[in-house]
Amino acid sequence: MDTLPAELLRLIFDNCDPPSVRALRLTCGRLADVGYNYLLPPSFRAVEWKDDVQRLHSIAHHDRLNRSISSITFNFSKVDEYSARHASFFQHWLQEPEERSILLQDAWIKYYELEGKARDLPPFHTRSAMVEESFKRLPNLKDLEITYTKCPYDIEVFKDVFLVRNCRKRDPTFRAQTCKNMNAIISAVRHVSLNSLTIDQLPLEIFRLPDDRRHWFDCCASSFSSLSKLDLTIDPPANLMPQSRFKAINGLGHVLQLSPNLTHLSLSFHTYHAPMQKFGFSFRALLQDFTFTKLTSLKLEGVSCSEEDLRSFLLRHAKTLERLRLGGRGLAKPYELSIGGVHLHEGSFRSLFASLQGKLPKLQRLHLEGDLEAGDIRTGARARETFKFHASVDENWEDMDGPDHFGSRRVVQEGKTMDSNALERYLIHGGPFPKLVVPDAASASASTASSEGSPSPSPELGPVSGGPGMAATPATAIAV
């Protein structure tokens, strides 16, 4: 072994699972030395039911292991027990009663064991000093994710439950606690040079409160300039007065402008208090005339703006923009049509796309998803431009072929939804404006009639799955 080149030894370790790595390192001193870099995976996942803050602190203060960590995910998600119990029951209602009872009982027993461990640990924000010290000693940390929507437990039943928005816990202390956790992490971020940052459920009011606002400006000023990818899902509060809204949007825009080297930007607004509602703002108020000179990929979801405002923003990035996404899944439940579209309160989408045709020379892909509406919401539905798009590609721009299923988060309803392939061809290659499907009352009635007599779960729950050997039975997609 001592005579083998290090490259060959690394190739051997590349094909070993963690137990094999540990066993192989015990064979000789050279393998122990080469195998050091394989003791830890490059991705570190922190959850609240384990003392991962202390574990990260210990790794960071190890002279060799601290170089192993290149990405960190902080998962603060919690489950709403009442909704989750109902959802988990109906998601498995096709199974035999005894089998279902054992499955759910085991899942909830394991959950309560993990929550018991979480109650013995101090709150995350009280340990901000440890987190900050850890980040200082992680030289290869490049990717950071903060989420409140992904399942934090290694329990299969709960992975399905977390796809339903009602099952994610949002108690009265949620927003204040979330702001404290975000501030603690941002304090640590100033000590590293990140390539990518993803935050799911960032409270918008954090950019309005004076102390929090100043804290973010100070911490982001030095660290965000290295970012090439920024994915923000904003969580607006239910009651935000005009002056507070303007200040919050202005603060968010200032943070975005501290990231001038972005190549990928995703900006989504998820209004949990009103899932169908779109958040209205102006790109001029958000960014003034600022331009991301390297931006190649852009996603906008759950926003409401004017046609002129959106067109102006897109044309400012025409020299570099290669991929454009308008809309997304939003807060749709697994069996629902996508509801994370884009609304235009002035203008029309036909006019928007016609004016952009031929003016985005670098554009290679366009994807639309969700409910796209244009026109004054106070007018009748017939006076507004309304389209519903289903997903045709995933987040990595890979085609979503085959039958619809909940695992791909793709729901299609014939006669009511369409893909955006025709618009993509028009915008990139020109030609006549494509004919688009406009959902009407007739198709909605037909859909309702076809679903009569079919079993469907409660709207508050989620997809229905069968037991082993039993095919999943999706509910008819709900028109929203």
Side-chain angles (χ1 to χ4, degrees):
M1 282 293 183
D2 290 340
T3 61
L4 291 176
E7 292 79 8
L8 183 57
L9 296 180
R10 293 193 188 98
L11 183 62
I12 294 172
F13 277 108
D14 283 336
N15 292 276
C16 291
D17 57 16
S20 300
V21 169
R22 292 191 289 270
L24 194 57
R25 290 188 67 250
L26 296 175
T27 57
C28 69
R30 184 137 187 266
L31 284 175
D33 183 64
V34 174
Y36 237 117
N37 296 332
Y38 298 86
L39 280 174
L40 292 176
S43 300
F44 185 91
R45 186 175 74 109
V47 293
E48 291 195 299
W49 53 268
K50 292 192 297 185
D51 195 358
D52 284 326
V53 173
Q54 179 59 57
R55 188 162 69 97
L56 180 63
H57 188 266
S58 299
I59 293 172
H61 284 76
H62 192 283
D63 291 337
R64 294 188 64 177
L65 293 180
N66 63 346
R67 298 181 180 276
S68 301
I69 305 299
S70 61
S71 69
I72 296 178
T73 298
F74 289 105
N75 191 334
F76 296 107
S77 305
K78 290 183 179 294
V79 68
D80 183 298
E81 294 183 22
Y82 178 82
S83 298
R85 281 190 177 277
H86 286 73
S88 59
F89 178 84
F90 279 94
Q91 285 172 343
H92 298 86
W93 76 287
L94 289 179
Q95 292 180 255
E96 292 294 330
E98 291 184 4
E99 182 182 358
R100 180 179 62 229
S101 177
I102 293 172
L103 175 68
L104 298 182
Q105 184 177 12
D106 289 346
W108 284 100
I109 288 175
K110 186 174 182 180
Y111 162 74
Y112 285 120
E113 289 176 355
L114 298 180
E115 282 302 291
K117 295 178 181 179
R119 285 191 290 270
D120 295 334
L121 298 173
F124 177 86
H125 70 272
T126 63
R127 310 173 81 183
S128 59
M130 289 184 66
V131 177
E132 193 167 349
E133 288 178 15
S134 301
F135 274 48
K136 289 179 181 178
R137 299 178 63 88
L138 295 173
N140 294 328
L141 179 60
K142 297 300 179 184
D143 306 310
L144 177 63
E145 179 181 5
I146 308 169
T147 182
Y148 281 82
T149 60
K150 296 181 179 179
C151 180
Y153 314 106
D154 295 322
I155 307 173
E156 287 300 321
V157 169
F158 280 65
K159 292 178 182 178
D160 291 332
V161 162
F162 265 86
L163 295 176
V164 185
R165 62 176 182 266
N166 310 60
C167 298
R168 304 167 196 160
K169 188 175 183 179
R170 293 174 61 88
D171 58 23
T173 65
F174 171 80
R175 305 191 72 87
Q177 187 67 42
T178 300
C179 288
K180 292 178 182 178
N181 290 342
M182 294 290 178
N183 288 337
I185 295 174
I186 286 298
S187 294
V189 165
R190 59 183 167 179
H191 301 293
V192 295
S193 295
L194 295 176
N195 289 339
S196 74
L197 173 63
T198 301
I199 305 179
D200 196 342
Q201 282 197 47
L202 174 62
L204 181 61
E205 65 268 27
I206 206 169
F207 301 111
R208 176 185 64 84
L209 304 173
D211 291 341
D212 293 343
R213 180 185 171 99
R214 191 178 307 110
H215 179 67
W216 275 70
F217 291 174
D218 292 343
C219 293
C220 297
S222 58
S223 59
F224 274 35
S225 60
S226 63
L227 283 177
S228 60
K229 180 180 179 181
L230 182 60
D231 186 341
L232 298 180
T233 301
I234 308 299
D235 181 11
N239 299 312
L240 198 61
M241 301 304 290
Q243 185 175 357
S244 298
R245 173 189 288 250
F246 177 81
K247 190 171 184 179
I249 287 295
N250 178 265
L252 172 61
H254 184 79
V255 169
L256 291 176
Q257 292 177 54
L258 294 174
S259 316
N261 296 311
L262 289 180
T263 59
H264 294 70
L265 173 62
S266 175
L267 192 59
S268 305
F269 289 84
H270 288 177
T271 52
Y272 276 81
H273 57 278
M276 289 292 298
Q277 183 177 313
K278 305 300 181 284
F279 186 81
F281 73 95
S282 161
F283 285 100
R284 184 167 295 280
L286 180 70
L287 294 167
Q288 288 83 44
D289 294 323
F290 182 81
T291 301
F292 298 99
T293 57
K294 300 179 181 180
L295 190 67
T296 60
S297 179
L298 172 66
K299 177 182 178 181
L300 299 172
E301 178 182 323
V303 302
S304 175
C305 58
S306 71
E307 175 194 337
E308 175 57 34
D309 191 33
L310 179 56
R311 176 171 50 244
S312 175
F313 179 72
L314 294 177
L315 290 178
R316 286 210 305 270
H317 299 89
K319 293 181 180 180
T320 58
L321 192 61
E322 297 176 358
R323 294 180 176 86
L324 173 62
R325 285 178 179 269
L326 296 179
R329 282 291 295 166
L331 290 173
K333 296 171 186 176
Y335 55 88
E336 290 180 334
L337 299 176
S338 298
I339 59 174
V342 174
H343 287 191
L344 300 179
H345 56 75
E346 291 181 7
S348 69
F349 282 103
R350 184 184 182 95
S351 173
L352 173 68
F353 291 124
S355 63
L356 291 176
Q357 199 281 316
K359 295 183 180 178
L360 299 174
K362 297 287 187 178
L363 192 68
Q364 300 173 7
R365 299 300 307 269
L366 168 72
H367 186 257
L368 308 178
E369 184 178 359
D371 50 327
L372 271 68
E373 293 188 12
D376 192 334
I377 196 171
R378 294 170 295 182
T379 62
R382 293 186 179 277
R384 298 200 306 272
E385 194 180 44
T386 304
F387 307 106
K388 296 184 185 297
F389 290 89
H390 59 251
S392 57
V393 297
D394 60 19
E395 293 298 322
N396 297 317
W397 294 92
E398 298 291 335
D399 290 338
M400 297 172 66
D401 296 325
D404 306 330
H405 53 88
F406 299 124
S408 67
R409 295 177 63 81
R410 180 183 188 227
V411 181
V412 178
Q413 195 171 39
E414 285 296 329
K416 295 205 69 175
T417 65
M418 56 186 165
D419 61 40
S420 55
N421 294 338
L423 271 174
E424 180 183 57
R425 289 191 295 270
Y426 168 76
L427 203 59
I428 297 174
H429 303 295
F433 195 88
K435 182 178 180 181
L436 303 178
V437 176
V438 179
D440 54 23
S443 61
S445 299
S447 172
T448 303
S450 66
S451 64
E452 289 180 359
S454 301
S456 61
S458 162
E460 297 301 317
L461 306 177
V464 181
S465 60
M470 186 179 295
T473 307
T476 301
I478 295 178
V480 291

